[in-house]
Amino acid sequence: VTMCAERAAIFKAVSNGEKDFEALAVVTRNGGMPCGSCRQVMAEFSPDMLVVVADSEGKIVSEHKLSELLPGAFRADKLA
């Protein structure tokens, strides 16, 4: 798995002390969705964050709660 912009942004924020995120915007040429690895990392910090996806023209392609994009995410609070 490569290092995507979404994970790089989250890891940089976490290294600066941020751990609770309200939203994340992903902008790609064609409005591509975050990959599975990025969704998992997002879920580890803010499983209910809003994920906004837009294309390079600035058109919002989709808006979803992360829990809709990654149902059943692996989370520490779900471990016995």
Side-chain angles (χ1 to χ4, degrees):
V1 176
T2 61
M3 178 55 74
C4 300
E6 297 94 308
R7 279 181 285 139
I10 289 171
F11 294 151
K12 178 62 177 167
V14 169
S15 73
N16 285 327
E18 298 296 328
K19 292 184 180 174
D20 186 33
F21 305 100
E22 291 182 30
L24 182 114
V26 179
V27 180
T28 64
R29 185 175 28 231
N30 61 357
M33 298 294 285
C35 74
S37 294
C38 289
R39 294 176 194 199
Q40 178 58 44
V41 168
M42 288 184 244
E44 291 177 21
F45 292 100
S46 297
D48 293 320
M49 81 164 68
L50 177 65
V51 179
V52 179
V53 178
D55 66 19
S56 60
E57 302 295 318
K59 178 184 173 200
I60 294 176
V61 175
S62 68
E63 292 185 36
H64 297 280
K65 276 193 159 188
L66 179 59
S67 57
E68 297 171 331
L69 297 177
L70 189 63
F74 181 83
R75 296 180 12 204
D77 65 338
K78 299 295 182 188
L79 299 176

